[in-house]
Amino acid sequence: MKKFKIKWTKSAETDLELIIEYIKLESPKKAKEIFVAIKKECSNLYFFPEIKRIVPELQQIGIFKYRELFYKRWRILFKIEGEIVYILLMVDESRDLEDILFQRLIKSTPDATNK
């Protein structure tokens, strides 16, 4: 049985931190429970990450390499490269994924006027 390595990107780690910090305002205990549960859910990707669904918003435009899993109300996006699963993004399912992806694309694009 093939075992994958799980790697969190900096942006996904930041997403998780922001979610946990927000929950911690109401309940530090609940924040810790959710943190542990999300990490455990992602660790389940060690085996068979390819069975998770392709991100529908990306599939509609012909992009099939990104998959997602859900934990309660959060979508966790990842991609598989070789034997590594990269956790890329965590977002509340009520948010518009296309807008979030566009915002991140803009942030990561160097300003053309600074050349």
Side-chain angles (χ1 to χ4, degrees), residues 35-70:
F35 176 82
V36 169
I38 288 171
K39 286 291 195 168
K40 182 179 179 186
E41 191 71 26
C42 290
S43 73
N44 290 335
L45 295 172
Y46 283 125
F47 300 106
F48 308 115
E50 59 278 344
I51 66 170
K52 298 298 182 182
R53 83 174 189 171
I54 296 171
V55 179
E57 295 89 340
L58 298 175
Q59 186 175 16
Q60 290 174 356
I61 58 172
I63 301 172
F64 301 97
K65 74 185 242 179
Y66 299 97
R67 297 184 176 272
E68 68 182 342
L69 63 94
F70 287 85

Side-chain angles (χ1 to χ4, degrees), residues 68-81:
E68 68 182 342
L69 63 94
F70 287 85
Y71 177 76
K72 296 197 176 193
R73 62 184 230 212
W74 295 285
R75 295 173 74 176
I76 303 166
L77 277 66
F78 65 93
K79 69 178 178 177
I80 305 165
E81 288 188 358

Side-chain angles (χ1 to χ4, degrees), residues 106 109-115:
I106 295 299
T109 304
D111 186 358
T113 60
N114 289 336
K115 288 186 177 180

Side-chain angles (χ1 to χ4, degrees), residues 74-94:
W74 295 285
R75 295 173 74 176
I76 303 166
L77 277 66
F78 65 93
K79 69 178 178 177
I80 305 165
E81 288 188 358
E83 294 184 8
I84 301 174
V85 173
Y86 292 95
I87 308 295
L88 303 170
L89 168 77
M90 283 193 60
V91 63
D92 188 294
E93 68 183 359
S94 67

